[in-house]
Amino acid sequence: DAKTTQPTSMDCAEGRAANLPCNHSTISGNEYVYWYRQIHSQGPQYIIHGLKNNETNEMASLIITEDRKSSTLILPHATLRDTAVYYCIVSPNNAGNMLTFGGGTRLMVKP
Amino acid sequence: NAGVTQTPKFQVLKTGQSMTLQCAQDMNHEYMSWYRQDPGMGLRLIHYSVGAGITDQGEVPNGYNVSRSTTEDFPLRLLSAAPSQTSVYFCASSYGRAGAGSPLHFGNGTRLTVT
């Protein structure tokens, strides 16, 4: 499974866009990129995923570079409730469907 | 649509006691799994199921049993609780394999303390 690298922490002003980067330089052609977040020890919350194309849903946008070696999660208008740990994960190929959660990025949205 | 529901939310056990953590999903998902998360650490897979009647071990299965008699329910049993099992337990479900583009949906966890 491809490993991911994320900054440990980031700050963002309320109302501004939050851009969270992720490096996955060893990703394979059939591996998806998933983004989850965990708010104050609640269960991880699925945000978005993509394979090659950019994706957008009601929560966020996912921009994947053409070579697929990195991606950026964009929260267009961050609110205080978006303060959380954000995990970038490359999809597993193991039978257990196990996701490997690394350290993630701790996003602090400030007023 | 409730999603993944876990009960209880909090539990305190004495060493040696047994109990069952409940997990139910109403999304007709085939895949279900149990994770534990220790303070400051990532999630570790305990057991998983790819459908009713089918279960298998994950990364840290010792001390836990599971069964999957229905698509909706996937209970986790602690046979004889130990302090090392103090953790937050998360149940997750997905329609298919995450490797095929099917995201996992998590419950809000059961916080277990073993004294």
Side-chain angles (χ1 to χ4, degrees):
Chain A
D1 295 342
K3 290 190 165 79
T4 61
T5 304
Q6 300 177 251
T8 303
S9 63
M10 293 180 63
D11 290 342
C12 177
E14 188 178 19
R16 304 296 294 269
N19 297 283
L20 291 87
C22 180
N23 181 286
H24 33 78
S25 57
T26 60
I27 192 170
S28 299
N30 62 348
E31 290 181 317
Y32 288 81
V33 178
Y34 288 93
W35 282 84
Y36 286 78
R37 71 182 182 183
Q38 192 168 24
I39 299 173
H40 189 52
S41 72
Q42 294 179 15
Q45 178 187 22
Y46 165 75
I47 301 173
I48 198 168
H49 75 283
L51 184 61
K52 295 180 182 178
N53 300 321
N54 298 338
E55 302 288 344
T56 295
N57 63 20
E58 65 278 5
M59 289 183 67
S61 295
L62 173 61
I63 308 298
I64 303 174
T65 58
E66 193 169 341
D67 63 7
R68 302 187 73 239
K69 293 185 177 182
S70 66
S71 61
T72 300
L73 177 75
I74 301 172
L75 308 178
H77 305 286
T79 70
L80 299 180
R81 287 179 292 182
D82 292 321
T83 293
V85 178
Y86 287 77
Y87 297 98
C88 169
I89 301 166
V90 172
S91 63
N93 287 316
N94 55 71
N97 217 31
M98 176 176 63
L99 297 183
T100 300
F101 285 74
T105 296
R106 186 169 297 276
L107 175 68
M108 180 73 70
V109 180
K110 298 184 175 180
Chain B
N1 195 349
V4 179
T5 302
Q6 291 185 237
T7 56
K9 293 183 179 178
F10 300 92
Q11 183 70 49
V12 178
L13 292 178
K14 295 185 187 300
T15 298
Q17 287 184 316
S18 63
M19 78 158 295
T20 299
L21 280 62
Q22 302 292 342
C23 176
Q25 52 92 8
D26 61 359
M27 297 174 283
N28 201 32
H29 285 173
E30 288 296 320
Y31 284 76
M32 296 187 75
S33 50
W34 277 100
Y35 291 79
R36 60 177 287 174
Q37 185 175 33
D38 299 324
M41 297 182 67
L43 279 72
R44 292 184 291 170
L45 182 66
I46 305 171
H47 285 284
Y48 66 95
S49 169
V50 301
I54 305 170
T55 63
D56 208 340
Q57 297 181 350
E59 188 182 0
V60 288
N62 292 340
Y64 307 94
N65 271 358
V66 291
S67 60
R68 183 98 180 271
S69 56
T70 67
T71 299
E72 294 78 20
D73 300 299
F74 191 43
L76 178 72
R77 282 182 288 278
L78 278 70
L79 308 173
S80 177
S84 61
Q85 293 179 305
T86 293
S87 189
V88 182
Y89 291 84
F90 291 106
C91 179
S93 73
S94 63
Y95 182 76
R97 288 187 64 246
S102 182
L104 267 68
H105 298 267
F106 287 84
N108 276 329
T110 293
R111 284 146 186 82
L112 175 68
T113 302
V114 183
T115 61

